[in-house]
mmCIF file of all heavy atoms in Angstrom:
data_model
loop_
_atom_site.group_PDB
_atom_site.id
_atom_site.type_symbol
_atom_site.label_atom_id
_atom_site.label_comp_id
_atom_site.label_asym_id
_atom_site.label_seq_id
_atom_site.Cartn_x
_atom_site.Cartn_y
_atom_site.Cartn_z
ATOM 1 N N ALA K 94 19.311 -11.099 8.090
ATOM 2 C CA ALA K 94 20.192 -12.007 8.837
ATOM 3 C C ALA K 94 19.933 -13.451 8.418
ATOM 4 O O ALA K 94 20.872 -14.211 8.149
ATOM 5 C CB ALA K 94 19.963 -11.826 10.342
ATOM 6 N N ALA K 95 18.661 -13.826 8.312
ATOM 7 C CA ALA K 95 18.316 -15.206 7.944
ATOM 8 C C ALA K 95 18.771 -15.542 6.531
ATOM 9 O O ALA K 95 19.057 -16.700 6.216
ATOM 10 C CB ALA K 95 16.807 -15.417 8.077
ATOM 11 N N ALA K 96 18.840 -14.516 5.668
ATOM 12 C CA ALA K 96 19.266 -14.734 4.278
ATOM 13 C C ALA K 96 20.788 -14.741 4.130
ATOM 14 O O ALA K 96 21.290 -14.814 3.004
ATOM 15 C CB ALA K 96 18.653 -13.658 3.380
ATOM 16 N N GLY K 97 21.497 -14.638 5.229
ATOM 17 C CA GLY K 97 22.954 -14.664 5.152
ATOM 18 C C GLY K 97 23.569 -13.345 4.735
ATOM 19 O O GLY K 97 24.709 -13.296 4.282
ATOM 20 N N LEU K 98 22.794 -12.282 4.901
ATOM 21 C CA LEU K 98 23.271 -10.946 4.509
ATOM 22 C C LEU K 98 23.523 -10.080 5.743
ATOM 23 O O LEU K 98 23.300 -8.872 5.724
ATOM 24 C CB LEU K 98 22.251 -10.299 3.563
ATOM 25 C CG LEU K 98 22.132 -10.985 2.194
ATOM 26 C CD1 LEU K 98 20.823 -10.611 1.498
ATOM 27 C CD2 LEU K 98 23.326 -10.602 1.311
ATOM 28 N N GLY K 99 23.988 -10.709 6.808
ATOM 29 C CA GLY K 99 24.079 -10.036 8.097
ATOM 30 C C GLY K 99 25.464 -9.565 8.489
ATOM 31 O O GLY K 99 25.771 -9.452 9.675
ATOM 32 N N THR K 100 26.306 -9.249 7.529
ATOM 33 C CA THR K 100 27.664 -8.791 7.849
ATOM 34 C C THR K 100 27.640 -7.559 8.747
ATOM 35 O O THR K 100 28.420 -7.445 9.695
ATOM 36 C CB THR K 100 28.431 -8.457 6.549
ATOM 37 O OG1 THR K 100 28.430 -9.612 5.725
ATOM 38 C CG2 THR K 100 29.860 -8.033 6.844
ATOM 39 N N ASP K 101 26.719 -6.631 8.450
ATOM 40 C CA ASP K 101 26.662 -5.389 9.228
ATOM 41 C C ASP K 101 25.306 -4.740 8.951
ATOM 42 O O ASP K 101 25.138 -4.019 7.972
ATOM 43 C CB ASP K 101 27.811 -4.466 8.815
ATOM 44 C CG ASP K 101 27.875 -3.195 9.659
ATOM 45 O OD1 ASP K 101 26.945 -2.952 10.467
ATOM 46 O OD2 ASP K 101 28.860 -2.444 9.502
ATOM 47 N N LEU K 102 24.337 -5.023 9.810
ATOM 48 C CA LEU K 102 22.967 -4.533 9.625
ATOM 49 C C LEU K 102 22.667 -3.414 10.617
ATOM 50 O O LEU K 102 22.846 -3.583 11.822
ATOM 51 C CB LEU K 102 21.962 -5.672 9.841
ATOM 52 C CG LEU K 102 22.096 -6.870 8.898
ATOM 53 C CD1 LEU K 102 21.142 -7.991 9.324
ATOM 54 C CD2 LEU K 102 21.835 -6.455 7.456
ATOM 55 N N LEU K 103 22.199 -2.296 10.083
ATOM 56 C CA LEU K 103 21.822 -1.155 10.923
ATOM 57 C C LEU K 103 20.310 -0.972 10.878
ATOM 58 O O LEU K 103 19.746 -0.766 9.795
ATOM 59 C CB LEU K 103 22.504 0.127 10.404
ATOM 60 C CG LEU K 103 21.984 1.446 11.002
ATOM 61 C CD1 LEU K 103 22.230 1.512 12.509
ATOM 62 C CD2 LEU K 103 22.638 2.645 10.296
ATOM 63 N N LEU K 104 19.656 -1.057 12.028
ATOM 64 C CA LEU K 104 18.258 -0.644 12.109
ATOM 65 C C LEU K 104 18.267 0.866 12.323
ATOM 66 O O LEU K 104 18.478 1.337 13.441
ATOM 67 C CB LEU K 104 17.529 -1.355 13.253
ATOM 68 C CG LEU K 104 16.051 -0.940 13.434
ATOM 69 C CD1 LEU K 104 15.217 -1.291 12.200
ATOM 70 C CD2 LEU K 104 15.446 -1.574 14.680
ATOM 71 N N ALA K 105 18.068 1.618 11.260
ATOM 72 C CA ALA K 105 18.152 3.083 11.310
ATOM 73 C C ALA K 105 16.808 3.654 11.730
ATOM 74 O O ALA K 105 16.229 4.510 11.066
ATOM 75 C CB ALA K 105 18.566 3.616 9.940
ATOM 76 N N ASN K 106 16.320 3.179 12.844
ATOM 77 C CA ASN K 106 14.977 3.519 13.287
ATOM 78 C C ASN K 106 14.877 3.137 14.757
ATOM 79 O O ASN K 106 15.566 2.234 15.214
ATOM 80 C CB ASN K 106 13.949 2.735 12.450
ATOM 81 C CG ASN K 106 12.537 3.265 12.593
ATOM 82 O OD1 ASN K 106 12.298 4.247 13.301
ATOM 83 N ND2 ASN K 106 11.604 2.611 11.936
ATOM 84 N N GLU K 107 13.973 3.809 15.458
ATOM 85 C CA GLU K 107 13.796 3.545 16.869
ATOM 86 C C GLU K 107 12.679 2.523 17.100
ATOM 87 O O GLU K 107 11.672 2.515 16.369
ATOM 88 C CB GLU K 107 13.437 4.844 17.612
ATOM 89 C CG GLU K 107 14.639 5.712 17.944
ATOM 90 C CD GLU K 107 15.332 6.312 16.722
ATOM 91 O OE1 GLU K 107 14.683 6.475 15.670
ATOM 92 O OE2 GLU K 107 16.539 6.598 16.807
ATOM 93 N N THR K 108 12.856 1.691 18.086
ATOM 94 C CA THR K 108 11.736 0.869 18.551
ATOM 95 C C THR K 108 11.867 0.682 20.053
ATOM 96 O O THR K 108 12.983 0.607 20.578
ATOM 97 C CB THR K 108 11.661 -0.494 17.829
ATOM 98 O OG1 THR K 108 10.538 -1.211 18.346
ATOM 99 C CG2 THR K 108 12.918 -1.316 18.026
ATOM 100 N N ILE K 109 10.737 0.639 20.718
ATOM 101 C CA ILE K 109 10.766 0.283 22.146
ATOM 102 C C ILE K 109 9.915 -0.954 22.384
ATOM 103 O O ILE K 109 9.662 -1.323 23.515
ATOM 104 C CB ILE K 109 10.283 1.434 23.055
ATOM 105 C CG1 ILE K 109 8.818 1.788 22.772
ATOM 106 C CG2 ILE K 109 11.172 2.656 22.924
ATOM 107 C CD1 ILE K 109 8.193 2.525 23.939
ATOM 108 N N ASP K 110 9.505 -1.614 21.311
ATOM 109 C CA ASP K 110 8.647 -2.785 21.424
ATOM 110 C C ASP K 110 9.459 -3.960 21.976
ATOM 111 O O ASP K 110 10.390 -4.430 21.320
ATOM 112 C CB ASP K 110 8.093 -3.109 20.037
ATOM 113 C CG ASP K 110 7.086 -4.247 20.049
ATOM 114 O OD1 ASP K 110 7.425 -5.343 20.545
ATOM 115 O OD2 ASP K 110 5.975 -4.035 19.563
ATOM 116 N N PRO K 111 9.140 -4.451 23.170
ATOM 117 C CA PRO K 111 9.978 -5.500 23.768
ATOM 118 C C PRO K 111 9.985 -6.793 22.961
ATOM 119 O O PRO K 111 11.018 -7.460 22.870
ATOM 120 C CB PRO K 111 9.361 -5.712 25.162
ATOM 121 C CG PRO K 111 8.050 -5.007 25.162
ATOM 122 C CD PRO K 111 8.040 -4.017 24.051
ATOM 123 N N THR K 112 8.861 -7.140 22.341
ATOM 124 C CA THR K 112 8.810 -8.374 21.547
ATOM 125 C C THR K 112 9.774 -8.283 20.374
ATOM 126 O O THR K 112 10.591 -9.196 20.136
ATOM 127 C CB THR K 112 7.379 -8.606 21.021
ATOM 128 O OG1 THR K 112 6.481 -8.617 22.131
ATOM 129 C CG2 THR K 112 7.285 -9.911 20.255
ATOM 130 N N ARG K 113 9.696 -7.181 19.647
ATOM 131 C CA ARG K 113 10.544 -7.061 18.448
ATOM 132 C C ARG K 113 12.014 -6.879 18.827
ATOM 133 O O ARG K 113 12.911 -7.381 18.140
ATOM 134 C CB ARG K 113 10.034 -5.920 17.567
ATOM 135 C CG ARG K 113 8.711 -6.351 16.938
ATOM 136 C CD ARG K 113 8.132 -5.427 15.927
ATOM 137 N NE ARG K 113 6.900 -6.080 15.428
ATOM 138 C CZ ARG K 113 5.783 -5.477 15.092
ATOM 139 N NH1 ARG K 113 5.702 -4.177 15.137
ATOM 140 N NH2 ARG K 113 4.728 -6.157 14.683
ATOM 141 N N LEU K 114 12.272 -6.165 19.933
ATOM 142 C CA LEU K 114 13.662 -6.013 20.370
ATOM 143 C C LEU K 114 14.254 -7.353 20.796
ATOM 144 O O LEU K 114 15.443 -7.623 20.564
ATOM 145 C CB LEU K 114 13.732 -5.002 21.524
ATOM 146 C CG LEU K 114 13.647 -3.530 21.093
ATOM 147 C CD1 LEU K 114 13.431 -2.627 22.316
ATOM 148 C CD2 LEU K 114 14.907 -3.103 20.344
ATOM 149 N N THR K 115 13.436 -8.199 21.399
ATOM 150 C CA THR K 115 13.922 -9.514 21.815
ATOM 151 C C THR K 115 14.282 -10.365 20.604
ATOM 152 O O THR K 115 15.303 -11.076 20.599
ATOM 153 C CB THR K 115 12.849 -10.205 22.685
ATOM 154 O OG1 THR K 115 12.588 -9.376 23.820
ATOM 155 C CG2 THR K 115 13.319 -11.577 23.151
ATOM 156 N N VAL K 116 13.448 -10.280 19.565
ATOM 157 C CA VAL K 116 13.745 -11.009 18.326
ATOM 158 C C VAL K 116 15.042 -10.476 17.700
ATOM 159 O O VAL K 116 15.897 -11.244 17.236
ATOM 160 C CB VAL K 116 12.561 -10.889 17.339
ATOM 161 C CG1 VAL K 116 12.926 -11.472 15.977
ATOM 162 C CG2 VAL K 116 11.329 -11.585 17.907
ATOM 163 N N LEU K 117 15.205 -9.156 17.711
ATOM 164 C CA LEU K 117 16.442 -8.562 17.191
ATOM 165 C C LEU K 117 17.647 -9.023 18.003
ATOM 166 O O LEU K 117 18.700 -9.353 17.441
ATOM 167 C CB LEU K 117 16.359 -7.028 17.266
ATOM 168 C CG LEU K 117 15.527 -6.317 16.211
ATOM 169 C CD1 LEU K 117 15.433 -4.825 16.545
ATOM 170 C CD2 LEU K 117 16.132 -6.505 14.818
ATOM 171 N N ALA K 118 17.485 -9.046 19.318
ATOM 172 C CA ALA K 118 18.606 -9.447 20.173
ATOM 173 C C ALA K 118 19.008 -10.890 19.884
ATOM 174 O O ALA K 118 20.200 -11.224 19.827
ATOM 175 C CB ALA K 118 18.234 -9.257 21.643
ATOM 176 N N ALA K 119 18.011 -11.749 19.677
ATOM 177 C CA ALA K 119 18.314 -13.152 19.380
ATOM 178 C C ALA K 119 19.058 -13.275 18.051
ATOM 179 O O ALA K 119 19.923 -14.143 17.890
ATOM 180 C CB ALA K 119 17.020 -13.965 19.349
ATOM 181 N N ALA K 120 18.719 -12.404 17.098
ATOM 182 C CA ALA K 120 19.364 -12.458 15.778
ATOM 183 C C ALA K 120 20.822 -12.013 15.835
ATOM 184 O O ALA K 120 21.568 -12.198 14.864
ATOM 185 C CB ALA K 120 18.589 -11.610 14.778
#
Side-chain angles (χ1 to χ4, degrees):
Chain K
L98 293 161
T100 303
D101 184 352
L102 300 174
L103 168 63
L104 178 63
N106 194 1
E107 278 67 25
T108 180
I109 63 160
D110 185 305
T112 304
R113 289 186 178 144
L114 282 168
T115 301
V116 172
L117 283 173

